[in-house]
Amino acid sequence: MKKFRIVPDIYLCDTAEEFCKAFCIGADDLVFIGRSSWKYFDGLVSGAHVIFRNDYGSGEPTDVLVEKIYEDTKDVPYKRVIAVGGGTIIDVAKLLALKTYTPVLDLYDRKIPLERTKELVIVPTTCGTGSEVTNISILELTARHTKMGLSDDALFANSAVLVPELLNGLPYQFFATSSIDALVHATESFLSPKATPFSREFSIRAAELILGGYRRIKDEGADAREKLYGDFLLASAYAGIAFGNAGTGAVHAMSYSFGAAYHVPHGEANYVLYSAVFRAYQKLNPSGDIALLRKVMSPFLDCYEDKAFDALSSLLEIILPLKPMSAYGTKEADIAVFTENTMTKQQRLMANNYVMLSAAQVEEIYRSVL
């Protein structure tokens, strides 16, 4: 038996000011935000306790970062967490709303019960993670040299708020990697054995919006994205709903070790593995649901069904040139370590694969993108 649901409540606001007025942000709130977004909120969150993501370093979220934030906020009597940012801020904020979230390693090992005691409001500032509508928090566990996901209903936000204004000024690189991440979410969840007719509708709609936007960027140039931020925000949320129900698979599982080892942003790490994993799926079972995915995607790519993945790769190459793992510093010796980590630490995700992959097949995929 399969089920489908949409959590949390989702709101659409044109501006940050509209959001702040609607949610009456004030003294009982902990606002976790990036400094680049603060200009939209300065003067609108009077009395709230504000912490800036930039004060805790840069890069992907880690257990060390969370422990530092805990030390700085453990005596703050907040009742609600307002998270305004990208994947790092959102993943960390989900933990800040819990009753107990340290030691972080114990939390991820399920030695600490997950109990949310604060209200959580998430406002994404990129168009890729979809994490505003999922119950998953992903951190790099530094002592273990890998990323791990924690999934529990206690990590669902109470409210997700989409504000296109907050994407203004988003650097093209971040736009490209985050929107590709959303496309990976949409297509991996479409192929998941946990997919339902409902989740696939969200996968398809997300892919349609993203690929349609990419074709406009191809024809009109990078600045065309600025007129499409609302569409890309919706696509990210649609993809988040899809993978929140059906899960992601080997692309994410395999990207975690690579991304953690060489500090590659999440969406970019996924992109490196994306086509290679789908080529392996295609080779191993070309006539299953992957044929349906090709059929669904071909109209958005303006190509014949059998050319869908080739056309997709060509379009993505225009949006963001693809680099091999070696360009980020990966060595031949890393492949065995990445493979072992994938097969032993990422089974939550590998269980969602379209085709089950052996260690030898995973290693072969890594080698193909080295």
Side-chain angles (χ1 to χ4, degrees):
M1 181 174 69
K2 300 177 181 179
K3 68 177 181 180
F4 175 83
R5 59 178 175 164
I6 299 176
V7 181
D9 293 335
I10 302 172
Y11 298 84
L12 305 178
C13 293
D14 291 328
T15 66
E17 182 176 8
E18 180 186 352
F19 159 66
C20 290
K21 288 181 178 178
F23 279 78
C24 302
I25 300 172
D28 290 331
D29 295 321
L30 175 67
V31 178
F32 187 28
I33 190 171
R35 290 193 181 275
S36 61
S37 300
W38 179 242
K39 61 181 177 287
Y40 298 105
F41 292 84
D42 193 9
L44 298 176
V45 293
S46 178
H49 186 86
V50 180
I51 57 173
F52 293 103
R53 188 266 177 272
N54 313 68
D55 294 345
Y56 299 91
S58 59
E60 299 288 291
T62 69
D63 51 347
V64 174
L65 181 152
V66 174
E67 297 286 3
K68 289 179 179 178
I69 292 177
Y70 170 74
E71 289 300 321
D72 289 349
T73 60
K74 62 184 179 181
D75 296 322
V76 176
Y78 60 92
K79 297 180 181 179
R80 185 170 62 171
V81 178
I82 309 291
V84 182
T88 294
I89 287 176
I90 294 172
D91 283 347
V92 172
K94 290 179 178 181
L95 306 184
L96 303 184
L98 298 176
K99 180 179 181 180
T100 305
Y101 59 89
T102 63
V104 175
L105 284 178
D106 285 351
L107 182 72
Y108 275 68
D109 286 339
R110 295 282 185 161
K111 295 178 181 178
I112 298 174
L114 276 77
E115 180 183 356
R116 190 178 69 206
T117 53
K118 282 91 173 176
E119 186 177 346
L120 177 60
V121 180
I122 296 177
V123 188
T125 60
T126 64
C127 51
T129 71
S131 191
E132 67 272 13
V133 293
T134 74
N135 65 344
I136 303 167
S137 174
I138 299 167
L139 294 184
E140 177 186 342
L141 304 182
T142 53
R144 297 177 185 175
H145 307 290
T146 193
K147 295 180 183 179
M148 288 189 67
L150 183 66
S151 178
D152 192 276
D153 282 2
L155 300 178
F156 273 124
N158 298 90
S159 305
V161 188
L162 306 184
V163 185
E165 179 189 44
L166 299 181
L167 271 65
N168 291 336
L170 183 67
Y172 181 80
Q173 176 79 9
F174 293 140
F175 161 78
T177 56
S178 63
S179 57
I180 289 173
D181 189 24
L183 182 63
V184 176
H185 292 156
T187 50
E188 278 207 293
S189 60
F190 186 96
L191 291 179
S192 169
K194 297 177 184 175
T196 69
F198 298 101
S199 70
R200 281 184 169 169
E201 285 298 314
F202 282 88
S203 294
I204 293 167
R205 182 59 176 148
E208 179 182 15
L209 287 170
I210 294 166
L211 295 177
Y214 283 172
R215 289 179 65 185
R216 282 192 61 179
I217 292 168
K218 174 186 174 183
D219 294 339
E220 302 173 22
D223 289 347
R225 73 188 189 280
E226 296 174 1
K227 297 174 284 188
L228 302 170
Y229 282 149
D231 286 349
F232 276 99
L233 263 182
L234 283 175
S236 178
Y238 290 157
I241 291 168
F243 89 80
N245 281 276
T248 56
V251 177
H252 278 72
M254 294 180 66
S255 77
Y256 285 158
S257 294
F258 158 58
Y262 290 98
H263 306 290
V264 183
H266 172 67
E268 193 167 351
N270 279 342
Y271 181 33
V272 172
L273 276 302
Y274 184 31
S275 291
V277 169
F278 274 57
R279 283 196 299 269
Y281 286 163
Q282 172 73 17
K283 180 179 178 181
L284 291 167
N285 185 11
S287 59
D289 285 343
I290 202 164
L292 178 58
L293 179 60
R294 293 196 309 269
K295 180 178 181 179
V296 165
M297 293 181 69
S298 58
F300 309 148
L301 293 163
D302 193 25
C303 67
Y304 293 111
E305 292 177 20
D306 62 341
K307 300 295 183 182
F309 292 146
D310 290 339
L312 175 61
S313 295
S314 297
L315 180 59
L316 292 179
E317 184 71 25
I318 292 170
I319 299 301
L320 185 69
L322 181 64
K323 297 188 292 188
M325 289 198 302
S326 59
Y328 301 91
T330 305
K331 307 293 190 298
E332 174 77 21
D334 292 324
I335 290 179
V337 176
F338 292 171
T339 300
E340 181 180 3
N341 282 344
T342 298
M343 299 306 293
T344 61
K345 298 177 181 179
Q346 302 298 341
Q347 285 306 305
R348 177 183 70 86
L349 298 177
M350 294 294 280
N352 299 327
N353 289 350
Y354 167 63
V355 177
M356 292 300 103
L357 299 174
S358 67
Q361 289 165 331
V362 167
E363 182 175 340
E364 182 180 354
I365 293 170
Y366 275 129
R367 289 190 185 282
S368 73
V369 297
L370 181 60

